[in-house]
């Protein structure tokens, strides 16, 4: 059958018991196009992509590659047919280095016919524009060759990362770069990208889009999943919108405005966030003085940082991931020791995370799945993972099940956690509802200071709006919020005062909030006069 579609899904349905995750969806992807997929958390986007990638198999319907029906029993089958995927939740081996992760991917999946005889030829292809061919000798790992391959890919695609770094020591943003390099290492002709720009500065997004256009010119087909409407409108050729597992819109980019697309996603108009005018008090909540913090490899991650936050304000810190934001947040929370300097909360210098929380500090960490919740625990159990909750509800160090469940149900109702069951495992919830667990646990005690790190990463616009409303509510209650985010739009929208963090240093940037170019240069360690 002749077709212009390199990938085609025909009437695909996927059910999990009584749950219909994808409902009779038709989808076409053409060679040389960038096709965006939009939808709320739980709309079926990830399930649809996992069907294409062989992680799930359709309950009904069929998948076609270049007009030929295919059955993908595993990702190996998908990659053998030229499909690569960069997952929102990383598929990396934490105890291996960057080079080892990439080498393992190439060794496992480089053969397009399922054999192990074409590893060297694929490595030659991957490195053809970056010097001499690189060899891995099939499944035999040679460290220097793997490092050379990683460096060649990094330089060739503008995604710098240390090949020798252990993945577990990388920031979220650098881990995402490794995932992108893994997909490029197997020379995939169909690329599925799930939130690939979430941790990039404006300049880096521009550079990344240049890479995507180059891949497009090479006749590769790209599926681009993003919650950033402006980016979707800028980079895509066509847009498909999913809602409750069904395809509700398909058209060329530009046919609908951003609000029109939001209406398709949500089923109605998106209400505006009411941001009341507010004036901070002169009461200092957080006072950081001369703080220097070491990173995981004993490098200086935070250098001589001083700042204050006051009651009744949101202080935003923007920056590209990996510039010391995580280490700064962990030092404030007592999760990482400081080398020099002090951190004061309401005039006190508590030591240890428990005492810091007892002083009235809440914490939304950057990665909800590994740091914010325990996925194997129930919703109720996750809601109790805060010493202030525990001490309020426990008697003689024990919480009765009835007390725990009652308290959890109140939080579930208040924060609209779905499904509304106290005993369900947190792993069964969407990303947005997992984040609601973290919000409920950290905000409900009404902390004097809330440290929120990338609180809307990976969330759809509805869930992100829910987070923003809760942060603004804290501000309006004359609490203090420190918002650390790689989403520049988020920091600009939410913050009363603005800083940029670059290479471990903090730069006051409120005066530049109207100049995106200047902010982008500050985020990448440049100045307006550099160049």
């Amino acid at each position: 059958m002749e077709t212009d579609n390199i990938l085609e899904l025909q009437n695909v349905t996927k059910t999990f018991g009584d749950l219909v995750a994808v409902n009779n969806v038709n989808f076409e992807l053409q060679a040389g196009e960038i096709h965006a997929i939009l939808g709320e958390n739980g709309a079926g986007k990830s399930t649809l992509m996992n069907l294409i990638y062989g992680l799930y198999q359709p309950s009904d319907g069929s998948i076609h590659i270049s007009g030929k029906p295919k059955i993908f029993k595993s990702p190996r089958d998908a990659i053998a047919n030229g499909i690569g995927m960069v997952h929102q939740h990383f598929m990396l081996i934490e105890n291996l280095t960057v080079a080892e992760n990439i080498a393992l991917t190439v060794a496992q999946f480089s053969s397009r016919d399922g054999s192990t005889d074409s590893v060297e030829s694929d490595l030659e292809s991957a490195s053809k524009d970056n010097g001499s061919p690189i060899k891995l000798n099939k499944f035999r790992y040679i460290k220097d060759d793997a490092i050379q391959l990683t460096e060649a890919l990094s330089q060739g695609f503008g995604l710098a990362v240390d090949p020798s770094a252990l993945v577990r020591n990388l920031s979220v943003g650098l881990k995402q770069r490794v995932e992108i390099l893994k997909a490029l290492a197997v020379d995939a002709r169909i690329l599925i990208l799930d939130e690939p720009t979430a941790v990039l500065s404006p300049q880096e997004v521009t550079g990344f889009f240049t890479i995507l256009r180059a891949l497009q010119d090479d006749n590769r087909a790209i599926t681009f999943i993003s919650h950033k409407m402006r980016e979707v409108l800028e980079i895509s050729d066509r847009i498909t919108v999913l809602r409750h597992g069904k395809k509700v819109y398909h058209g060329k980019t530009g046919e609908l405005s951003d609000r029109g697309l939001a209406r398709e996603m949500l089923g109605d108009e998106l209400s505006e966030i009411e941001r009341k005018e507010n004036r901070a008090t002169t009461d200092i909540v957080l006072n950081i003085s001369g703080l220097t913090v070491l990173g995981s490899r004993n490098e200086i991650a935070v250098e001589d940082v001083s700042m204050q936050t006051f009651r009744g304000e949101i202080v935003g810190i923007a920056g590209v991931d990996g510039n010391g934001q995580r280490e700064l947040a962990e030092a404030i929370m007592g999760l990482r020791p400081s080398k020099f300097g002090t951190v004061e909360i309401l005039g006190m210098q508590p030591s240890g995370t428990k005492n810091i929380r007892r002083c009235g500090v809440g914490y939304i960490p950057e990665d909800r799945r590994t740091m914010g919740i325990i996925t194997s625990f129930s919703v109720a159990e996750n809601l109790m993972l805060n010493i202030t909750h525990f001490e309020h509800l426990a008697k003689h160090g024990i919480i009765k099940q009835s007390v725990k469940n009652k308290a959890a149900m109140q939080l579930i109702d208040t924060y609209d956690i779905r499904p509304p069951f106290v005993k369900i495992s947190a792993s069964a919830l969407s990303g947005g509802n997992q984040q609601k667990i973290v919000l409920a646990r950290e905000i409900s005690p009404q902390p004097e200071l809330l440290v929120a790190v990338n609180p809307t990463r990976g969330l759809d616009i509805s869930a992100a709006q829910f987070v923003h409303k809760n942060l603004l509510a804290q501000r309006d209650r004359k609490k203090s919020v420190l918002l650390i985010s790689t989403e520049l739009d988020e920091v600009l929208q939410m913050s009363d005062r603005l800083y940029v963090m670059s290479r471990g240093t903090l730069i006051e940037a409120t005066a530049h909030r109207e100049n995106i170019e200047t902010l982008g240069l500050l985020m990448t360690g440049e100045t307006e006069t550099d160049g």
Side-chain angles (χ1 to χ4, degrees), residues 42-309:
K45 304 186 306 297
S46 295
T47 301
L48 190 68
M49 296 303 103
N50 287 334
L51 288 167
I52 296 171
Y53 195 59
L55 288 167
Y56 300 147
Q57 288 71 50
S59 304
D60 198 7
S62 57
I63 298 174
H64 299 253
I65 301 293
S66 298
K68 298 179 180 179
K70 299 287 184 178
I71 297 175
F72 299 151
K73 296 182 180 179
S74 70
R76 176 181 290 277
D77 293 338
I79 293 175
N81 282 274
I83 300 173
M85 183 170 180
V86 177
H87 299 266
Q88 181 181 347
H89 302 300
F90 308 128
M91 303 292 184
L92 299 171
I93 300 176
E94 296 276 323
N95 291 329
L96 296 184
T97 66
V98 172
E100 288 166 346
N101 270 274
I102 291 174
L104 182 60
T105 299
V106 174
Q108 285 180 318
F109 299 124
S110 60
S111 173
R112 289 291 168 83
D113 60 4
S115 69
T116 61
D117 296 329
S118 61
V119 175
E120 292 183 6
S121 64
D122 272 6
L123 289 177
E124 290 176 10
S125 174
S127 60
K128 62 185 177 183
D129 296 325
N130 301 285
S132 59
I134 303 163
K135 298 180 180 180
L136 277 181
N137 289 335
K138 298 177 184 177
F139 288 146
R140 181 177 160 205
Y141 175 72
I142 300 176
K143 181 177 179 180
D144 290 343
D145 291 348
I147 289 175
Q148 188 182 352
L149 170 61
T150 304
E151 289 176 340
L153 290 167
S154 298
Q155 293 168 10
F157 293 100
L159 294 165
V161 65
D162 180 3
S164 300
L166 284 174
V167 167
R168 69 167 178 258
N169 292 334
L170 297 180
S171 67
V172 173
L174 291 177
K175 288 179 181 179
Q176 188 175 54
R177 292 187 188 185
V178 178
E179 284 283 19
I180 293 171
L181 290 172
K182 281 172 54 182
L184 295 172
V186 295
D187 195 29
R189 306 305 302 178
I190 299 171
L191 286 171
I192 302 170
L193 306 178
D194 194 353
E195 300 286 352
T197 64
V199 294
L200 303 181
S201 71
Q203 281 82 358
E204 287 175 316
V205 170
T206 300
F208 183 67
F209 282 0
T210 300
I211 293 169
L212 293 190
R213 294 299 188 195
L215 294 170
Q216 185 179 24
D217 291 342
D218 193 37
N219 216 34
R220 298 177 194 248
I222 299 168
T223 300
F224 186 91
I225 302 172
S226 178
H227 296 298
K228 299 180 180 181
M229 202 76 70
R230 186 171 60 188
E231 290 184 359
V232 165
L233 292 171
E234 178 182 348
I235 191 62
S236 65
D237 301 299
R238 291 192 291 166
I239 298 173
T240 292
V241 178
L242 300 180
R243 188 192 328 141
H244 304 311
K246 295 182 179 180
K247 184 172 76 173
V248 296
Y249 173 79
H250 168 75
K252 292 181 179 180
T253 302
E255 289 183 349
L256 287 182
S257 66
D258 53 354
R259 291 198 65 80
L261 290 169
R263 185 168 56 250
E264 293 292 343
M265 289 170 59
L266 302 173
D268 53 22
E269 285 284 355
L270 185 66
S271 61
E272 296 286 348
I273 294 178
E274 183 181 358
R275 195 179 196 283
K276 300 175 183 177
E277 288 299 320
N278 188 65
R279 185 171 296 176
T281 71
T282 57
D283 296 334
I284 298 173
V285 178
L286 172 66
N287 186 12
I288 300 174
S289 179
L291 187 66
T292 296
V293 181
L294 298 182
S296 300
R297 288 173 286 171
N298 288 323
E299 79 284 8
I300 294 179
V302 176
E303 186 171 13
D304 195 25
V305 164
S306 297
M307 67 171 296
Q308 295 176 329
T309 73

Side-chain angles (χ1 to χ4, degrees), residues 390-402:
F390 181 83
E391 291 180 341
H392 176 70
L393 297 174
K395 289 187 177 181
H396 309 296
I398 299 173
I399 302 179
K400 290 183 178 180
Q401 289 295 316
S402 59

Side-chain angles (χ1 to χ4, degrees), residues 106 359 526:
V106 174
C359 279
E526 305 292 339

